[in-house]
Amino acid sequence: HQQRHKSGGCRGDQPGDRRDGQEDGGHDSRHARGKQAHGGVGGKKVPHHQGFTAVISGAVQRDNLLYSGQKFTPVQSAKNTRMLVKEILHNGTEPVFSLEFFPPKKQEEWDKLFETISNLSPLDPSYVSVTYGAGGSTRERTHNLVTRIQQETGITVVSHLTCIGAEKSEIESVLQLYRQHGITNVLALRGDKPADIATLEEAIKDFPHAIDLVKFIKANFPEMGVGVAGFPEGHPETPNRMKELEYLKEKVDAGADYIVTQLFFDNRDYFDYVERCELAGITVPIIPGIMPVMTKKGMIRMGELALGSRIPSKLLRQVLEAADDKEVAEIGIEWATRQVQELIEHKVKGIHFYTLNLSEATLKIFENLKRG
């Protein structure tokens, strides 16, 4: 069944796509796809500031990191101690939050990315994730970005790892590299079919489905924390929603610690998804993925990258009637703010923001939350 073929969502892991069956593409098709609540393990208490309440109340200062030409200099000792994501979620006394970035294709875009990371660092995210695309150069950029963030900021990093077109030896070498650099969290995705390969069957090598990657990681790198993708509105390749959850449960049973969802715009879809997962026996945290509409073209692009995602009529009408993209951004940020507020009220374990390597929208959402 096709849902097992992938593993991403808007999680395809290219900017914007995402999660196995649902997997990532570069931006991570997942971006286009959605996620759940608190968490932690292992006796350590996640500092209070790692949740939303402290950030919104102004407890986090904007000078904890300095940015200088693609180099981060921690002014204070790192607050995030490179924990497993499952520990962060388990130990949190309030919803934690995370950010997602993708490795730029052009060299000149790297300065902008690190400026964005610097701008967002004062929010003190509990962890950040980096998307992973098919193809050697994109993968190499992912590895470089993951290791740099971990080494230069001390923030816990989750690396997306797609297995389509990969052999076991290749995946093993990547995980060995991460082990050497102290990176202990991955998001396991099948990934999207490369554009230059005619059929999905031709693209598949040693890992037909994301579950095969999960099993490989847990068997050979048991210390690794593993997340997988989820789709509140259903994965486009698996019309049978009950089968979709059956496949998702298999990944959890194989060792997945948590689920991150593709983006969505109606929280009712997320709440219903969580309840259906519970009925299917899935009890790991399901982290909602949030990405605001910022432009009219961007909204169309979201629909392409997050197949199956739905734009509520109220939001669609506001965007279509907006005079310009400045107004669209205001509408999108306000909509996302209300989503986040409601998710916090429902005591989700965490919230994942798809940043598109930009800081403005996320910073504005936090400012809105602070104002109440």
Side-chain angles (χ1 to χ4, degrees):
H1 289 281
Q2 296 176 336
Q3 160 106 332
R4 299 185 61 169
H5 285 358
K6 276 200 162 190
S7 214
C10 179
R11 298 229 79 109
D13 244 1
Q14 284 292 322
D17 44 297
R18 190 135 214 178
R19 319 225 188 252
D20 195 41
Q22 316 166 159
E23 268 115 320
D24 275 316
H27 205 165
D28 235 7
S29 291
R30 203 184 51 197
H31 286 112
R33 311 175 174 178
K35 306 182 190 173
Q36 187 182 47
H38 317 10
V41 135
K44 302 180 200 167
K45 189 71 173 174
V46 174
H48 179 72
H49 65 258
Q50 288 185 342
F52 276 95
T53 302
V55 174
I56 296 170
S57 66
V60 175
Q61 302 301 312
R62 296 187 60 83
D63 60 355
N64 62 325
L65 286 175
L66 295 179
Y67 170 75
S68 176
Q70 289 194 13
K71 178 70 176 180
F72 289 95
T73 305
V75 178
Q76 305 171 21
S77 59
K79 297 169 185 167
N80 295 316
T81 54
R82 299 180 184 178
M83 302 170 67
L84 294 178
V85 170
K86 68 177 181 181
E87 296 174 342
I88 294 172
L89 296 174
H90 176 78
N91 292 338
T93 57
E94 57 189 67
V96 301
F97 77 97
S98 53
L99 308 171
E100 183 163 297
F101 305 105
F102 64 90
K105 293 181 179 180
K106 299 178 181 179
Q107 187 59 41
E108 59 267 25
E109 295 175 345
W110 282 85
D111 279 337
K112 178 62 178 176
L113 169 59
F114 275 84
E115 182 179 357
T116 292
I117 296 174
S118 182
N119 290 339
L120 292 172
S121 290
L123 297 179
D124 206 14
S126 296
Y127 63 93
V128 301
S129 67
V130 178
T131 66
Y132 187 88
S137 62
T138 304
R139 291 177 177 179
E140 186 65 26
R141 288 196 296 270
T142 297
H143 306 329
N144 291 341
L145 181 55
V146 166
T147 54
R148 286 193 66 179
I149 292 175
Q150 177 112 326
Q151 292 171 353
E152 297 182 16
T153 71
I155 299 173
T156 294
V157 182
V158 177
S159 177
H160 292 192
L161 185 61
T162 61
C163 58
I164 191 167
E167 297 178 351
K168 291 182 178 178
S169 58
E170 179 182 359
I171 295 297
E172 182 175 13
S173 66
V174 169
L175 292 172
Q176 287 285 9
L177 178 66
Y178 287 163
R179 175 183 277 171
Q180 293 169 13
H181 285 87
I183 295 163
T184 57
N185 293 283
V186 296
L187 186 71
L189 308 164
R190 188 204 66 188
D192 295 334
K193 178 185 72 65
D196 59 347
I197 297 181
T199 66
L200 184 63
E201 288 67 27
E202 293 178 71
I204 292 173
K205 292 185 179 179
D206 289 345
F207 301 92
H209 313 294
I211 188 174
D212 301 305
L213 178 58
V214 174
K215 289 179 177 178
F216 180 83
I217 295 171
K218 300 310 291 187
N220 297 280
F221 298 83
E223 76 278 12
M224 284 280 180
V226 179
V228 294
F231 300 80
E233 297 173 283
H235 190 271
E237 293 186 8
T238 309
N240 187 327
R241 303 296 297 279
M242 296 186 73
K243 272 293 182 186
E244 177 185 9
L245 292 185
E246 179 183 316
Y247 297 146
L248 181 60
K249 187 174 188 303
E250 288 177 0
K251 286 187 278 189
V252 172
D253 291 344
D257 302 316
Y258 64 98
I259 298 163
V260 178
T261 72
Q262 171 178 279
L263 65 82
F264 57 91
F265 297 100
D266 190 331
N267 287 355
R268 291 176 298 181
D269 292 320
Y270 168 77
F271 296 135
D272 180 75
Y273 180 68
V274 170
E275 188 170 356
R276 286 186 289 110
C277 283
E278 291 173 350
L279 291 172
I282 297 171
T283 59
V284 298
I286 303 174
I287 311 303
I290 298 294
M291 185 169 76
V293 174
M294 296 298 286
T295 66
K296 292 183 179 181
K297 287 185 178 180
M299 181 178 69
I300 295 173
R301 181 62 173 158
M302 284 182 184
E304 295 172 347
L305 293 175
L307 294 177
S309 63
R310 177 178 63 86
I311 307 294
S313 60
K314 183 177 180 180
L315 174 60
L316 181 61
R317 181 182 299 278
Q318 291 180 39
V319 171
L320 294 178
E321 293 179 350
D324 51 34
D325 280 341
K326 180 177 183 296
E327 185 177 350
V328 171
E330 293 173 353
I331 291 168
I333 290 171
E334 177 59 30
W335 187 280
T337 298
R338 290 197 299 268
Q339 280 190 273
V340 173
Q341 287 175 325
E342 185 178 28
L343 290 166
I344 294 172
E345 291 169 1
H346 280 72
K347 301 186 185 303
V348 297
K349 289 287 185 181
I351 299 177
H352 191 65
F353 291 90
Y354 298 118
T355 71
L356 298 184
N357 286 7
L358 301 171
S359 60
E360 177 186 358
T362 304
L363 289 171
K364 186 62 177 176
I365 290 171
F366 274 79
E367 290 174 9
N368 291 345
L369 293 171
K370 183 177 179 179
R371 288 198 306 266

